[in-house]
Amino acid sequence: MIRAAVLLCLGLLLAGCNTVPLADTPTRAKITDSTLPPMKVFSTPHPSAPTRSNANIAADFLALHFRLESGRKLDYFTRFETPVTVRVSGDPPPSLEPDLRRLLTRLRREAGIDIRQIARGSANITIEVVSRAEIRRALPAAACFVVPNVSSFDEFRRDRRKPKTNWSVLRTRTRLGIFVPYDTSPQELRDCLHEELAQALGPLNDLYRLPDSVFNDDNVHTVLTGFDMLILRATYAPELRSGMTEGQVAAQLPALLARLNPAGTRQPAAPVTETPRGWIEAVQTALGPGANPGARRSAANTAARTAETLGWQDHRRAFSHYMLGRITQVTDPDAAQSQFQAALHYLSRDPATRLHAAYVVTQTAAYAIATGNGAQALREIDPMLDVAARAENGALLSTLMLLKAEALDLTGRPDEARSVRLDSLGWARYGFGSDWAVRAKMREIAALNPQNRGRG
C-alpha cells in the first residue's frame, strides 16, 4: 500500500515546457468560469542581481549570442536598432495582457530597452496566439517559439523553409513573430512570453550551465532573472551594434560589464565548463517526447555517468540525479529518494540554486507524506514556500502548499491544513489553469496521505 502511494510522486513532476528544439528555432518548450476561489496573480518582481564574475558573464554573453541551441555558430551579433513595438494578434486569453504589460514594464526599467505595445498596425514583434495543436504540428517538441522575418503563423508556415526565417543569415532584427498557445495555463502562457520575447530581443541560445536564467532548457526559472536583465541591458548597450563579429563584441564586454555590473569586477572568475552534446542529447531523450521507458532510463543513466565522469559539482550534476530519480521512482521509489538526496547535496553548495532545490523537495516531501512522516515533510516544505513565491511560480507554490496541507493533517492540525489548502487554490488556478487540472492535482496529492487511503 505504501509503495503504491509512493508511486504517485511521479505525478508531482513540475517540468515547464518541453524545450527540445527543432533545428535552429529557439523555443521555450482559456480560463473558464470556475467554482474554485479566484485566480491569484503575482504583482511584484523579485530579481536577484547576478553574483558571478564579469569574466564569466562575458563568456556567457558570447555563448548566448553567437550559438544557436543546436550548437550552430552565428557569425554576427544581432538586435533591434530602433525602438521596439509589440502587437498581439489571434485570440488571447484574459491573463495575457496583464502579464505582457508587466513584462514590458520590467524590460524598460531593468533592461533599459525602448519597447512598447501597440494595438494595431505593423509591429517589430507580433505575438500571435494560436492553439497548442497548431504549434505541435509545426514544432512537435515546442510549447511556443519565435521566428525572424514573419508577422503571422500563416507567413511562418508559408516561408519556414526559406532563407528569410534562418537565424544564421540574419544581420539585424526588424520583424519577428512569436507564437504562443491560448489553450494552456496562465503560467505556461506567461512563461512563454518571458522566454520568447527575451529571445526575440536578445540571446538565441540556451545554456545548461547557467544556474540563474531562463536561458536554460532545464526550465527551472520561468520569469526573467536579474542575470537575464543584465544580459539584455548589455545587448542594447551603445557600445554594441548589429553586424559585429564575436571578436568585436568580446573586445567591448569587459568595460561594458564593468559599467553595468561593477560588483562583478570584484568577483574572481570561475572555470567555465562546457556542457557536452552527449549530455544534452541524453537529457533530451530522457525528458523529451517519444522515447519509451527503457530508453528514458538508459539516457538518464548516461547523463548521470557523464556528470560524474566530468566531475561536475554544480546544478547540472544535481539535475542529472533529479532526472534519474524522476525516471526510476516508478520502479524503485527508495532508490529514487537516494537520487533526490544526492541532488539536494550538490544544490546546497550554491545559494543561487534554491529554486532548483524547491523542485526536488516536491519529491522528497511527497515521499515523506506517503510514508506517514508529516513532521519531516513540513521541515522540508516550509523554507521553500518563499522561494517559489519569489520565483513567481504558481504551479510550484500551490503544489508545495497542497503538500503542506497533507503534512499538517498528518500532524494533527486539520484547521491549519484546511486554511493552507484553500489558500493554495488561487495559485493552482494560475499555475495549472482549468478546474479539472486543479482538482486533479488536489486529488493526486491527497492520495499520498495514508489517512486518505481507502476513502474512495
Side-chain angles (χ1 to χ4, degrees), residues 170-370:
L170 212 61
R171 292 292 188 95
T172 190
R173 304 188 196 187
T174 57
R175 186 169 64 100
L176 292 98
I178 294 174
F179 306 106
V180 300
Y182 58 74
D183 46 352
T184 192
S185 71
Q187 179 170 312
E188 179 77 3
L189 180 55
R190 179 210 62 188
D191 296 351
C192 280
L193 291 176
H194 275 249
E195 182 161 351
E196 302 310 328
L197 190 52
Q199 292 196 304
L201 293 166
L204 300 172
N205 196 8
D206 282 327
L207 296 173
Y208 278 103
R209 72 176 187 243
L210 299 177
D212 55 353
S213 175
V214 302
F215 302 122
N216 187 327
D217 270 338
D218 65 12
N219 287 331
V220 169
H221 288 277
T222 56
V223 298
L224 291 170
T225 67
F227 170 86
D228 298 328
M229 289 298 185
L230 174 60
I231 292 295
L232 288 170
R233 183 175 283 275
T235 298
Y236 284 84
E239 293 93 328
L240 305 183
R241 63 184 182 281
S242 292
M244 294 177 73
T245 65
E246 185 171 358
Q248 290 172 325
V249 171
Q252 295 293 328
L253 286 177
L256 190 162
L257 289 174
R259 177 171 62 81
L260 297 180
N261 186 43
T265 62
R266 299 187 291 271
Q267 298 295 326
V272 175
T273 55
E274 299 296 335
T275 307
R277 291 300 306 176
W279 186 87
I280 294 173
E281 290 165 2
V283 169
Q284 291 175 344
T285 300
L287 301 182
N292 61 49
R296 292 184 191 279
R297 285 193 299 272
S298 177
N301 276 298
T302 296
R305 286 195 302 269
T306 300
E308 181 179 8
T309 299
L310 293 172
W312 285 345
Q313 304 293 307
D314 61 10
H315 60 285
R316 291 172 296 179
R317 179 76 173 268
F319 187 70
S320 300
H321 287 292
Y322 174 58
M323 177 176 60
L324 189 55
R326 284 174 54 178
I327 289 171
T328 60
Q329 63 188 347
V330 174
T331 55
D332 194 342
D334 293 331
Q337 290 302 306
S338 295
Q339 295 295 332
F340 295 138
Q341 292 301 326
L344 289 172
H345 167 73
Y346 289 105
L347 295 173
S348 68
R349 302 178 177 192
D350 184 357
T353 60
R354 292 281 287 164
L355 183 57
H356 300 69
Y359 277 86
V360 182
V361 163
T362 64
Q363 307 299 321
T364 58
Y367 185 85
I369 291 167

